[in-house]
C-alpha cells in the first residue's frame, strides 16, 4: 500500500513538473511564433498562438476584480444555509445568484463606455497647487470653463445657496430678503425678488421649477417665476432646510428644536416632533439613507428618521460645539467640524469610528464634500479644499481661496468642477479641478435635460416615490431577509416561560328545570373556565420544563466536556452509581 | 504661473443634446452604484406600483354570446382556433366565431337538452349527445342534417372520443364503448353497486389525451372510476360526494382533476390511486357545487364553473384560486372552456349567455410594442421578487366578491370551525386514538374498491374486503 501510494505521489509530482514546463510562455520567444516581414519599409509582426493559448485567451475580457467590487451587490446567499433538502429551492437560488453576478459584471463592463474624464490639477515641481489662484486657473483653461468661475457682488447678504441635483441651477437667498434663482451656466436669470423678510435658508424642491425659502416666520414655496405658491405655516421659525429627492420630503429644523418632514406631493406633514436639543442650526442629510444628521452645541451629532421620535444614533464628536456637518454623496463618510478647531472624518455607516482628524488654524464654519471626495472647509473668509482626506494624506490644502466676505454657505456643484461659495457680500464660484463626477446618468439627473425630458422624469420620480417609513440607517433592509433580532428572540422566549392564563369567554347554555339559576350558571361557567385554564397551563408548564431542561442539559454537557487525563482520580458522581445499580 | 497640468470637466453640449427635433434624445448612462441610491426601496415601490396597476387593469370580461335558451354544453372546434360550438337546453347546436362574436351556424340538433358536444379528432366532424337518447355526428360543412345518428335504449349524458381510434365512450345510465362504424355499442362497462342500474348512472366521462386508452368517469353513487379499454382494468374510488366533471392534465398525464358536488376540486395522481397519496391537492374556493372544469393547454392552470354563479381559475399546485370571475347578471354556470391559445376562457351559464373572459385578467390584448413587452416582463419579475411583502400580497389577493359568495364563505367558515371544534371536543372526551386525526385531503375520499366490472353487481358490504369477482361482463 505504502509503496503504491509513494509511486503515485512521484507520478503526480512528475506530472506537475511537466505541466509547469508546458505552461511556460513559449510564445513570448520571438523565434518560435513571431513572423517579421518588411513591407514598404514598415516591419509587420505576426503573432501566431497555439490552439491551447487561443483557448486560454478565448472569450470576453476578464473584468478587473477591483472594478467588480465597485459594482458588487453584496455577498450573495450562502448556499449551505438552505441545506440539501430542497434541491429545487437551491437550484433557484443558484440561478438567481448567477443572474445577479452577471448583472454586476455587465455593469462593470460599461465603465469603458464612459466618455468624460475627471479633472486634474498639478503644480510644477517646487510649488504647491494651493498657491495656484483662481485667476491662474481661469487663464489656463478654455473659455467656456473660465466663464464658469465668476463673482457676484450682492448687497443683501449674508447669503445662503443651493444647486439643483443636476448642477444646472442655483438659488441664492440673502438674509435681507433677496431671493434669486438662475441657470448659472448660461447665466440666465429665472427670478429675482425681495421677500421683504429675513431669509434663513433656501432649498430646491424636486425640479428647478420650485424652491423653498425659510423666512422669518414660515417656510414659503416659490416657483421659478418668483410666484409664491405656498406658505407653510406648519413649519415656523425654520433655520435649515433639506429636501430628500427620492422621498419627496421637505425636512426642516427650527429655532425651537423641532424637526419636521413634509411630503410635498401631498402637502401633508409626515411627522413633526421636538428633539429637545435646543436650537438646530446645523443639519444635513445623508444621501445614502435619507437620515438627517444634526449637530449640537454639546458636541454631539444626532441622526433622525421620521419613524422614531428619538435619535436613531447619537455620537459625541467634539468636546466643543459642532459647527458644521456633511456626508459625502456615497454616504460612506461624514465630516464634522467643531469649535475645537478640528475637522474629523467619520465612517458614516459605522458611526463612532473616527477615520481621520485634522487640526485647523480656526474653527471651520462650513464643511462640504464633493462627488470625488474633496473636502472644502471655510475659515472666516478663507476657503480651503483638501484632497485625500479619507486616506489621511491631506497634510497640505489642495487649493485655497480668499473671499471678499465671511463665507456663510458653500456647496460643490454636482457633475462640475465648481465650488460655489456664498458670503456676506455675494456669491462666487471657484473652479476646483477634480471635484465633480464627470459622467452623469441621464436617467438619474441630467444637466442637459429637455422640457419633455424633465416632465417625464418628474412623473417617473413621483411614481417611484419611496415611502417615508422605509427610511432607516441601512437602506437595504427592505431587500433583506427579516431575521429576528436578539431582543426579539429573548422576548419570545420570555413570553413562553411566563405564560398567562387565557381569558375564557363562555356563556352557559340555558337549561330547564332549575338548572339555570344564577348560582348554577356561575358554577357551570366556573367549572368550564377552570378546566380549560388548567389544561392550558399544564401544557405551558410542560413546554417550559422542556425548554428549561434543554438549557440545563446544555450547561451540564458543557461542564462535562473538558476532560483531562487526571479526571479518573476524581470521585465519581453519585448519580452515575445509582444508574449502575 | 506654476500650473503643470490642468484638466477641468468641460462638456461639449453637442455630444449630449440631440441634433434635430426628429432625433431621439441622447441618454448618457453611468451605472456607478453611488449615483443610484435607494435601489432596493425604489424597486419595492415599483413592485407596489406593478401590483396596483395589475388591479387597475384587471378587467377580464370581453363580451358575451347571447343564446335563446340556457347554455348546457360548450366545445372547441376540432380544427379552427377561433370557433366554438355551444348547445342549449332546447336542443339547439350553434357555431360561433369568437373573433367577431357572431353566430355562424345553427341547427335544432336534438329534441331536448344538448348534454355534450365533442369534436372528433379527425378534424372533420363533431358529436352531440341529446336528451332524446340519440348521439349525432355532424359534418363541419354547415349541413342541417347529421352524418350519423346512433339510437340508444338508455339515457346518454356524456361522450368522449378516443384520441386516435374511431371509438367513443358514452355515459349515462350505462357506460358504453362504441365504434364509429357500427350502430351498436361494442362493449359496456356497467358496474352497479346495488344491482339497480339507475343508481350507477354516470355523470361524466373523459378519455385521457396522453394515455389514450385510459378514461375516467364519475357517477351518481359518488364513485370515481378509472377504466382502460385494453385491459378492462378498473379502479373505483368512492368519494363522499358526487363528481360532476372531470379533466385530465394535458401536460402531466397522470393528473386527473375532478370537480365535486362538495364545492371542492380534487386533483388525483392516478399512479398512486391505490394508496393514500392519491389526492395531490384539494382546490377550495367555490361556495356551491362545481359543475364543470377545463384545463389550460399549458397544464399549469385550470378553470372551474360553479353553481355559485362564478368561475374560478386555479393553479394546479395551489389549493386556493388565483382569480375569480363573476358578473352582475351571470347566473349559474353550466360549462366552461379554456381556449387553445391559452388567452381566453369561455363560460356558458343559465342566463342564456356564453361569456368570453381573458385568462389573465389584466393582460393587454393585441400586439405589444417591444418597450411594452419589456415593461411587462420587468413588472412580472418585480412581482415575483417582492410579491411576498404583506402590502403587495394584500393588494394582489384582494377580490371584490358578490355578497352571496361573501356571505356563503363566512357561513362555511363558521361551519368548518364548528366541526373542527366538535371533533376536538370529541377527541378530548374519548379514549386516546379513538378519534383519529384525518388530514383534510383524505376526508372526502371514502376508499378504493378494487374490482373488475361485472354486470352481475355486488353489494358494497361484500366488496369491503377487496374480494374479486372474476365474472366477465357481457359484450354488447
Amino acid at each position: 500500500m505504502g509503496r503504491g501510494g509513494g509511486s503515485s505521489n512521484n507520478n503526480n509530482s512528475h506530472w506537475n513538473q511537466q505541466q509547469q514546463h508546458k505552461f511556460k510562455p513559449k510564445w513570448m520567444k520571438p523565434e518560435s511564433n513571431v513572423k517579421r516581414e518588411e513591407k514598404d519599409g514598415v516591419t509587420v509582426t505576426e503573432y501566431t498562438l497555439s490552439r491551447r493559448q487561443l483557448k486560454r485567451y478565448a472569450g470576453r475580457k476578464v473584468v478587473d476584480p477591483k472594478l467588480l467590487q465597485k459594482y458588487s451587490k453584496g455577498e450573495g446567499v450562502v448556499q449551505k444555509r438552505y441545506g440539501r433538502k430542497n434541491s429545487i429551492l437551491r437550484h433557484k437560488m443558484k440561478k438567481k445568484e448567477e443572474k445577479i453576478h452577471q448583472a454586476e459584471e455587465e455593469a462593470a463592463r460599461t465603465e469603458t463606455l464612459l466618455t468624460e474624464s475627471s479633472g486634474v490639477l498639478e503644480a510644477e515641481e517646487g510649488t504647491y497647487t494651493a498657491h495656484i489662484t483662481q485667476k491662474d486657473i481661469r487663464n489656463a483653461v478654455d473659455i467656456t470653463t473660465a466663464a464658469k468661475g465668476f463673482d457676484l457682488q450682492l448687497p443683501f447678504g449674508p447669503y445662503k445657496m443651493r444647486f439643483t441635483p443636476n448642477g444646472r441651477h442655483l438659488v441664492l437667498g440673502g438674509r435681507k430678503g433677496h431671493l434669486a434663482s438662475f441657470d448659472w451656466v448660461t447665466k440666465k436669470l429665472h427670478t429675482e425678488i425681495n421677500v421683504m423678510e429675513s431669509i434663513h435658508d433656501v432649498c430646491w424642491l424636486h425640479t428647478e421649477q420650485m424652491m423653498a425659502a425659510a423666512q422669518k416666520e414660515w417656510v414659503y414655496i416659490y416657483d421659478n417665476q418668483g410666484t409664491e405658491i405656498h406658505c407653510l405655516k406648519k413649519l415656523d421659525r425654520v433655520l435649515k432646510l433639506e429636501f430628500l429627492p427620492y422621498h419627496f420630503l421637505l425636512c426642516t429644523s427650527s429655532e425651537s428644536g423641532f424637526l419636521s418632514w413634509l411630503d410635498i406631493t401631498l402637502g401633508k406633514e409626515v411627522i413633526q416632533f421636538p428633539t429637545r436639543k435646543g436650537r438646530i442650526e446645523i443639519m444635513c442629510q445623508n444621501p445614502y439613507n435619507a437620515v438627517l444628521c444634526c449637530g449640537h452645541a454639546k458636541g454631539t451629532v444626532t441622526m433622525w428618521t421620521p419613524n422614531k421620535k428619538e435619535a436613531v444614533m447619537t455620537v459625541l464628536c467634539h468636546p466643543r460645539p459642532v459647527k458644521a456637518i456633511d456626508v459625502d454623496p456615497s454616504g460612506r463618510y461624514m465630516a464634522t467640524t467643531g469649535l475645537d478647531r478640528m475637522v474629523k472624518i467619520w465612517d458614516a455607516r459605522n458611526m463612532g469610528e473616527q477615520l481621520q482628524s485634522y487640526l485647523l488654524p480656526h474653527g471651520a464654519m462650513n464643511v462640504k464634500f464633493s462627488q470625488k471626495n474633496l473636502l472644502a472647509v471655510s475659515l472666516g473668509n478663507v476657503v480651503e479644499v483638501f484632497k485625500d482626506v479619507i486616506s489621511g494624506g491631506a497634510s497640505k490644502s489642495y487649493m485655497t481661496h480668499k473671499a471678499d466676505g465671511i463665507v456663510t454657505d458653500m456647496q460643490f456643484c454636482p457633475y462640475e468642477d465648481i465650488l460655489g461659495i456664498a458670503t456676506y457680500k455675494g456669491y462666487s464660484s471657484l473652479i476646483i479641478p477634480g471635484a465633480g463626477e464627470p459622467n452623469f446618468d441621464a436617467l438619474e439627473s441630467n444637466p442637459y435635460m429637455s422640457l419633455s425630458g424633465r416632465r417625464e422624469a418628474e412623473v417617473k420620480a413621483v411614481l417611484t416615490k419611496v415611502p417615508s417609513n422605509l427610511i432607516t440607517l441601512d437602506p437595504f433592509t427592505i431587500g433583506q431577509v427579516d431575521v429576528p433580532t436578539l431582543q426579539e428572540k429573548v422576548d419570545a422566549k420570555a413570553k413562553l416561560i411566563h405564560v398567562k392564563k387565557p381569558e375564557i369567554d363562555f356563556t352557559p347554555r340555558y337549561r330547564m328545570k332549575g338548572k339555570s339559576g344564577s348560582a348554577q350558571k356561575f358554577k357551570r361557567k366556573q367549572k368550564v373556565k377552570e378546566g380549560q385554564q388548567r389544561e392550558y397551563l399544564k401544557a405551558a408548564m410542560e413546554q417550559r420544563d422542556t425548554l428549561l431542561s434543554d438549557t440545563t442539559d446544555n450547561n451540564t454537557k458543557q461542564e462535562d466536556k473538558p476532560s483531562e487525563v487526571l479526571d479518573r482520580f476524581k470521585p465519581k458522581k453519585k448519580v452515575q452509581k445509582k444508574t449502575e445499580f | 504661473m506654476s500650473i503643470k497640468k490642468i484638466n477641468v470637466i468641460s462638456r461639449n453640449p453637442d455630444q449630449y443634446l440631440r441634433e434635430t427635433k426628429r432625433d431621439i434624445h441622447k441618454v448618457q448612462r453611468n451605472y456607478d452604484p453611488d449615483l443610484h441610491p435607494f435601489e432596493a426601496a425604489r424597486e419595492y415601490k415599483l413592485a407596489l406600483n406593478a401590483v396596483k396597476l395589475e388591479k387597475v387593469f384587471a378587467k377580464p370580461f370581453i363580451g358575451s354570446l347571447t343564446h335563446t335558451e340556457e347554455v348546457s354544453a360548450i366545445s372547441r372546434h376540432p380544427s379552427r382556433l377561433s370557433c366554438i360550438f355551444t348547445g342549449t337546453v332546447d336542443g339547439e347546436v350553434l357555431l360561433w366565431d369568437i373573433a367577431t362574436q357572431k353566430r355562424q351556424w345553427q341547427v335544432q340538433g336534438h329534441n331536448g337538452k344538448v348534454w355534450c358536444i365533442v369534436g372528433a379528432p379527425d378534424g372533420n366532424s363533431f358529436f352531440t349527445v341529446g336528451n332524446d337518447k340519440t348521439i349525432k355526428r355532424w359534418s363541419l360543412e354547415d349541413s342541417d342534417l347529421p352524418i350519423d345518428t346512433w339510437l340508444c335504449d338508455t339515457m346518454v349524458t356524456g361522450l368522449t372520443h378516443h384520441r386516435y381510434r374511431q371509438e367513443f365512450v358514452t355515459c349515462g345510465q350505462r357506460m358504453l364503448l362504441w365504434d364509429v362504424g357500427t350502430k351498436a355499442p361494442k362493449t359496456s362497462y356497467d358496474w352497479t353497486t346495488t344491482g339497480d342500474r339507475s343508481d350507477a348512472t354516470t355523470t361524466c366521462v373523459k378519455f385521457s389525451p396522453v394515455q389514450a386508452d385510459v378514461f375516467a368517469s364519475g357517477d351518481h353513487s359518488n364513485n370515481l372510476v378509472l377504466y382502460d379499454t385494453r385491459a378492462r382494468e378498473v379502479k373505483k374510488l368512492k368519494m363522499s360526494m358526487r363528481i360532476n366533471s372531470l379533466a385530465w392534465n394535458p401536460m402531466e398525464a397522470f393528473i386527473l382533476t375532478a370537480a365535486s358536488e362538495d364545492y371542492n376540486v380534487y386533483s388525483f395522481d392516478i399512479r398512486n390511486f391505490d394508496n393514500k397519496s392519491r389526492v395531490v391537492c384539494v382546490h377550495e374556493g367555490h361556495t356551491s357545487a362545481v359543475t364543470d372544469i377545463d384545463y389550460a393547454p399549458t397544464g399549469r392552470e385550470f378553470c372551474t364553473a360553479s353553481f355559485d354563479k362564478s368561475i374560478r381559475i386555479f393553479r394546479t399546485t395551489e389549493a386556493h384560486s388565483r382569480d375569480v370571475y363573476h358578473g352582475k347578471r351571470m347566473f349559474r354556470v353550466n360549462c366552461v372552456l379554456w381556449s387553445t391559445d391559452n388567452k381566453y376562457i369561455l363560460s356558458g351559464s343559465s342566463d342564456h349567455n356564453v361569456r368570453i373572459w381573458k385568462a389573465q385578467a389584466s393582460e393587454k390584448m393585441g400586439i405589444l410594442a417591444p418597450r411594452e413587452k419589456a415593461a411587462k416582463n420587468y413588472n412580472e419579475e418585480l412581482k415575483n421578487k417582492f410579491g411576498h411583502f404583506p402590502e403587495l400580497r394584500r393588494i394582489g389577493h384582494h377580490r371584490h366578491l358578490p355578497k352571496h359568495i361573501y356571505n356563503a364563505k363566512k357561513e362555511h367558515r363558521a361551519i368548518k370551525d364548528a366541526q373542527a371544534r366538535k371533533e376536538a371536543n370529541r377527541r378530548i372526551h374519548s379514549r386516546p386514538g379513538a378519534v383519529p386525526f384525518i388530514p383534510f385531503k383524505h376526508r372526502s375520499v371514502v376508499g378504493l374498491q378494487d374490482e373488475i366490472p361485472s354486470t352481475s353487481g355486488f353489494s358494497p358490504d361484500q366488496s369491503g374486503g377487496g374480494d374479486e369477482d372474476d365474472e366477465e361482463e357481457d359484450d354488447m
Side-chain angles (χ1 to χ4, degrees):
Chain A
M1 285 288 282
R3 268 173 66 192
S7 66
S8 70
N9 277 340
N10 283 342
N11 280 343
N12 277 340
S13 64
H14 184 61
W15 170 243
N16 285 338
Q17 276 171 10
Q18 272 189 338
Q19 287 280 83
Q20 280 165 11
H21 187 68
K22 271 187 181 174
F23 272 114
K24 272 184 185 173
K26 270 184 190 172
W27 57 279
M28 298 285 279
K29 292 175 190 171
E31 307 88 38
S32 58
N33 291 12
V34 180
K35 278 184 193 171
R36 281 218 171 83
E37 281 178 43
E38 291 252 341
K39 273 181 187 173
D40 309 327
V42 181
T43 50
V44 179
T45 38
E46 259 182 53
Y47 295 92
T48 47
L49 297 179
S50 73
R51 195 176 288 171
R52 170 177 287 190
Q53 283 154 3
L54 279 173
K55 209 175 176 184
R56 261 178 89 184
Y57 297 105
R60 301 173 78 186
K61 188 189 160 194
V62 179
V63 185
D64 180 16
K66 267 187 191 172
L67 206 59
L68 266 185
Q69 188 62 36
K70 179 183 168 187
Y71 289 93
S72 166
K73 288 175 189 280
E75 283 173 2
V77 179
V78 183
Q79 287 284 325
K80 273 184 188 171
R81 196 179 287 173
Y82 288 91
R84 278 171 227 145
K85 277 181 189 169
N86 195 338
S87 62
I88 294 171
L89 181 65
R90 210 173 60 234
H91 179 74
K92 268 187 185 171
M93 298 300 290
K94 201 179 158 192
K95 284 275 163 201
K96 204 167 189 181
E97 287 296 314
E98 274 171 17
K99 268 187 183 172
I100 292 169
H101 190 73
Q102 194 190 352
E104 285 170 6
E105 202 181 303
E106 292 300 326
R109 280 182 198 282
T110 59
E111 190 101 318
T112 51
L113 300 172
L114 301 179
T115 49
E116 302 282 339
S117 56
S118 199
V120 184
L121 178 66
E122 279 174 28
E124 277 173 8
E125 276 179 33
T127 58
Y128 300 112
T129 49
H131 293 168
I132 298 169
T133 60
Q134 283 298 310
K135 205 177 165 188
D136 296 336
I137 289 176
R138 281 177 210 175
N139 290 334
V141 294
D142 60 303
I143 192 161
T144 45
T145 315
K148 285 178 186 170
F150 61 94
D151 300 307
L152 296 175
Q153 302 286 336
L154 302 167
F156 303 102
Y159 277 89
K160 289 278 182 180
M161 56 156 296
R162 203 68 69 97
F163 287 109
T164 50
N166 65 10
R168 195 62 195 259
H169 305 272
L170 176 69
V171 61
L172 294 174
R175 178 65 58 82
K176 294 185 185 110
H178 181 204
L179 184 70
S181 73
F182 55 103
D183 182 338
W184 70 272
V185 180
T186 57
K187 314 283 190 302
K188 192 185 150 206
L189 187 71
H190 296 318
T191 179
E192 188 169 30
I193 51 168
N194 196 326
V195 298
M196 310 299 284
E197 249 182 355
S198 60
I199 293 180
H200 296 268
D201 200 8
V202 285
C203 173
W204 288 107
L205 297 189
H206 59 293
T207 59
E208 67 271 16
Q209 302 290 96
M210 277 193 259
M211 56 199 172
Q215 296 179 17
K216 190 188 167 198
E217 283 292 337
W218 302 302
V219 173
Y220 290 80
I221 292 176
Y222 298 95
D223 73 353
N224 69 343
Q225 307 294 317
T227 319
E228 179 191 317
I229 309 175
H230 296 291
C231 167
L232 304 168
K233 293 195 176 175
K234 281 176 186 168
L235 311 175
D236 63 321
R237 301 250 163 199
V238 167
L239 293 176
K240 205 68 178 131
L241 289 169
E242 276 293 340
F243 183 69
L244 308 176
Y246 293 102
H247 302 79
F248 283 82
L249 293 176
L250 180 67
C251 315
T252 59
S253 68
S254 74
E255 243 176 50
S256 49
F258 272 71
L259 281 180
S260 48
W261 284 260
L262 183 111
D263 190 329
I264 65 148
T265 54
L266 307 169
K268 270 187 190 163
E269 204 173 61
V270 174
I271 197 170
Q272 184 173 41
F273 56 79
T275 57
R276 301 176 210 286
K277 304 256 179 202
R279 182 184 166 91
I280 301 174
E281 261 183 306
I282 301 137
M283 184 179 76
C284 79
Q285 63 164 302
N286 184 342
Y288 168 71
N289 53 15
V291 172
L292 293 184
C293 308
C294 300
H296 306 287
K298 283 183 179 172
T300 53
V301 169
T302 51
M303 295 192 183
W304 304 84
T305 65
N307 307 314
K308 209 178 177 190
K309 288 190 176 177
E310 290 155 16
V312 287
M313 191 167 281
T314 309
V315 190
L316 180 64
C317 290
H318 294 271
R320 298 286 180 83
V322 176
K323 285 321 279 183
I325 319 175
D326 194 41
V327 183
D328 91 298
S330 69
R332 292 192 187 91
Y333 312 107
M334 186 167 95
T336 58
T337 66
L339 280 185
D340 58 346
R341 299 193 290 155
M342 298 289 276
V343 178
K344 291 183 179 177
I345 312 291
W346 305 83
D347 186 345
R349 291 178 295 188
N350 184 19
M351 275 306 287
E353 194 183 322
Q354 183 188 317
L355 300 175
Q356 303 292 342
S357 67
Y358 303 98
L359 188 65
L360 298 169
H362 317 287
M365 290 296 148
N366 284 299
V367 65
K368 277 276 148 49
F369 270 111
S370 84
Q371 279 176 321
K372 288 285 182 188
N373 284 342
L374 301 190
L375 187 77
V377 292
S378 77
L379 315 156
N381 64 344
V382 176
V383 177
E384 297 213 31
V385 182
F386 295 95
K387 214 176 175 181
D388 305 326
V389 273
I390 288 132
S391 56
S395 55
K396 291 191 183 69
S397 62
Y398 172 60
M399 290 192 80
T400 51
H401 177 75
K402 202 171 173 184
D404 293 342
I406 293 170
V407 178
T408 47
D409 198 6
M410 58 185 185
Q411 195 192 353
F412 278 101
C413 180
Y415 309 108
E416 291 284 355
D417 283 343
I418 297 294
L419 171 66
I421 54 169
T423 62
Y424 268 73
K425 291 185 176 173
Y427 167 83
S428 40
S429 69
L430 316 177
I431 301 170
I432 313 287
E437 167 66 48
N439 296 292
F440 57 85
D441 190 300
L443 297 187
E444 206 71 57
S445 52
N446 185 1
Y448 298 98
M449 196 174 276
S450 64
L451 182 69
S452 59
R454 194 191 66 217
R455 283 177 184 154
E456 199 167 310
E458 209 172 340
V459 171
K460 284 204 168 152
V462 175
L463 278 176
T464 55
K465 184 183 83 169
V466 181
S468 66
N469 54 7
L470 295 184
I471 299 178
T472 47
L473 277 175
D474 180 9
F476 287 99
T477 34
I478 186 83
Q480 282 166 354
V481 181
D482 192 12
V483 182
T485 59
L486 182 65
Q487 188 60 44
E488 280 166 354
K489 278 184 195 168
V490 168
D491 289 347
K493 204 171 177 184
K495 213 177 171 186
L496 258 182
I497 292 172
H498 309 291
V499 280
K500 268 187 186 173
K501 284 190 287 188
E503 279 192 13
I504 284 145
D505 186 28
F506 171 70
T507 41
R509 215 179 288 165
Y510 180 76
R511 282 189 189 163
M512 304 290 277
K513 292 183 184 173
K515 284 180 182 173
S516 275
S518 60
Q520 286 289 331
K521 242 183 176 177
F522 181 76
K523 263 187 196 171
R524 257 159 57 207
K525 196 175 171 181
Q526 209 61 11
K527 206 174 162 187
V528 171
K529 215 172 163 182
E530 277 172 6
Q532 287 190 3
Q533 281 178 344
R534 199 179 304 127
E535 214 153 80
Y536 180 83
L537 286 177
K538 207 173 154 188
M541 294 272 270
E542 267 174 24
Q543 207 172 12
R544 191 181 70 180
D545 288 346
T546 50
L547 207 79
L548 289 175
S549 66
D550 278 355
T551 52
T552 48
D553 281 353
N554 286 337
N555 288 339
T556 50
K557 270 175 197 169
Q558 278 171 0
E559 279 171 18
D560 288 345
K561 261 188 181 175
S563 57
E564 290 169 15
V565 185
L566 295 175
D567 278 356
R568 68 183 73 169
F569 300 112
K570 281 181 182 172
K572 280 177 182 173
K573 279 179 185 172
K574 280 178 184 177
V575 186
Q576 281 180 337
K577 270 184 186 175
K578 269 182 189 171
T579 48
E580 276 171 18
F581 279 104
Chain B
M1 204 171 80
S2 58
I3 297 173
K4 184 180 165 192
K5 186 183 175 189
I6 185 161
N7 181 25
V8 182
I9 297 170
S10 165
R11 298 189 188 89
N12 182 3
D14 293 346
Q15 286 176 356
Y16 297 95
L17 295 172
R18 56 180 179 173
E19 282 166 17
T20 62
K21 274 201 164 179
R22 297 181 177 236
D23 215 349
I24 52 165
H25 287 287
K26 288 183 177 175
V27 178
Q28 164 100 1
R29 298 304 310 268
N30 184 354
Y31 293 99
D32 187 349
D34 289 346
L35 298 182
H36 302 272
F38 306 107
E39 198 184 354
R42 283 158 80 188
E43 213 167 48
Y44 168 75
K45 186 66 203 291
L46 283 174
L48 198 62
N49 288 347
V51 171
K52 284 179 182 172
L53 282 179
E54 189 193 346
K55 300 298 293 181
V56 168
F57 292 125
K59 291 190 167 53
F61 181 69
I62 293 174
S64 62
L65 314 174
T66 312
H67 293 64
T68 49
E69 254 304 331
E70 182 176 330
V71 182
S72 57
I74 191 165
S75 163
R76 292 184 185 93
H77 193 281
S79 57
R80 272 148 71 186
L81 190 66
S82 65
C83 289
I84 58 155
F85 288 109
T86 57
T88 60
V89 287
D90 65 349
E92 274 189 342
V93 178
L94 303 99
L95 172 66
W96 295 88
D97 185 45
I98 300 297
T100 55
Q101 300 184 19
K102 290 254 165 65
R103 191 178 57 220
Q104 292 200 326
W105 176 71
Q106 187 182 8
V107 74
Q108 184 65 39
H110 290 277
N111 191 7
K113 178 180 178 179
V114 179
W115 278 99
C116 179
I117 307 174
V118 172
D122 60 5
N124 299 324
S125 60
F126 67 97
F127 294 84
T128 57
V129 173
N131 216 16
D132 51 1
K133 296 183 186 173
T134 55
I135 304 159
K136 286 179 180 174
R137 185 179 174 211
W138 307 80
S139 88
L140 295 173
E141 271 124 35
D142 298 356
S143 65
D144 288 347
L145 289 171
I147 312 170
D148 273 328
T149 307
W150 290 267
L151 288 169
C152 308
D153 53 349
T154 54
M155 191 64 161
V156 184
T157 58
L159 185 146
T160 179
H161 202 286
H162 193 281
R163 184 160 178 190
Y164 305 110
R165 280 206 296 271
Q166 294 285 317
E167 283 175 357
F168 60 87
V169 173
T170 58
C171 68
Q173 267 170 305
R174 306 187 67 189
M175 286 285 288
L176 300 167
L177 175 69
W178 305 71
D179 195 296
V180 175
T182 55
K183 289 288 173 192
K186 241 164 91 179
T187 322
S188 84
Y189 290 92
D190 297 336
W191 187 12
T192 63
T193 45
T194 54
D196 176 15
R197 274 187 173 162
S198 65
D199 187 41
T201 302
T202 33
T203 53
C204 54
V205 64
K206 272 278 160 68
F207 260 114
S208 164
V210 180
Q211 287 287 321
D213 289 317
V214 176
F215 66 99
S217 77
D219 61 33
H220 273 282
S221 50
N222 306 348
N223 289 317
L224 174 65
V225 194
L226 272 183
Y227 303 84
D228 192 325
T229 53
R230 295 163 301 190
R232 288 188 200 131
E233 201 178 294
V234 171
K235 272 174 190 166
K236 187 169 173 186
L237 191 70
K238 183 101 173 166
M239 306 283 288
S240 61
M241 290 278 247
R242 197 174 75 199
I243 301 294
N244 280 332
S245 182
L246 287 165
W248 293 87
N249 189 326
M251 286 292 153
E252 291 172 322
F254 45 84
I255 299 287
L256 172 67
T257 307
S260 172
E261 193 79 5
D262 64 358
Y263 315 168
N264 293 336
V265 178
Y266 299 88
S267 280
F268 297 96
D269 188 337
I270 59 163
R271 298 172 302 181
N272 300 329
F273 224 58
D274 299 336
N275 54 46
K276 281 263 176 187
S277 56
R278 58 193 148 221
V279 182
V280 180
C281 192
V282 183
H283 308 277
E284 293 174 274
H286 279 299
T287 55
S288 188
V290 189
T291 49
D292 199 11
I293 177 170
D294 195 31
Y295 259 99
T298 56
R300 295 284 187 90
E301 289 175 328
F302 60 82
C303 58
T304 55
S306 169
F307 247 49
D308 65 7
K309 305 171 191 172
S310 72
I311 59 174
R312 278 178 189 264
I313 304 168
F314 292 87
R315 294 200 179 96
T316 45
T317 50
E318 287 172 15
H320 293 276
S321 60
R322 164 173 78 77
D323 213 338
V324 53
Y325 294 163
H326 54 84
K328 213 171 190 179
R329 298 188 189 88
M330 186 157 83
F331 210 58
R332 285 160 181 175
V333 192
N334 294 326
C335 45
V336 74
L337 182 77
W338 199 308
S339 76
T340 330
D341 58 354
N342 197 28
K343 285 214 159 189
Y344 306 98
I345 291 170
L346 297 121
S347 66
S349 44
S350 28
D351 58 286
H352 305 194
N353 269 314
V354 167
R355 285 187 170 75
I356 309 166
W357 311 85
K358 288 188 227 170
Q360 295 282 340
S362 59
E363 195 186 8
K364 197 188 167 208
M365 291 287 122
I367 299 162
L368 293 182
R371 279 173 70 181
E372 273 180 311
K373 218 182 258 175
K376 187 187 143 206
N377 291 342
Y378 181 52
N379 283 347
E380 284 302 315
E381 196 52 42
L382 283 174
K383 272 183 262 173
N384 279 342
K385 190 173 174 183
F386 291 96
H388 60 280
F389 274 80
E391 195 169 4
L392 268 74
R393 204 163 47 185
R394 182 183 62 78
I395 295 167
H397 284 194
H398 182 260
R399 292 286 180 283
H400 181 74
L401 288 174
K403 215 168 193 178
H404 68 272
I405 294 183
Y406 182 76
N407 290 338
K409 261 192 156 177
K410 230 162 62 178
E411 197 185 331
H412 294 157
R413 183 79 258 159
I415 292 169
K416 263 187 185 173
D417 285 349
Q419 281 170 347
R421 198 168 54 239
K422 184 157 194 176
E423 200 185 307
N425 285 340
R426 198 171 274 161
R427 194 168 286 130
I428 290 167
H429 296 293
S430 329
R431 161 173 64 79
V435 184
F437 288 96
I438 303 168
F440 178 65
K441 266 185 187 177
H442 305 319
R443 294 215 167 180
S444 38
V445 177
V446 176
L448 195 73
Q449 296 172 329
D450 218 352
E451 283 289 341
I452 284 173
S454 67
T455 44
S456 64
F458 58 89
S459 67
D461 300 339
Q462 287 171 349
S463 68
D467 301 346
E468 285 186 6
D469 275 350
D470 289 334
E471 283 183 42
E472 294 273 329
E473 90 286 353
D474 292 347
D475 284 3
M476 303 208 30

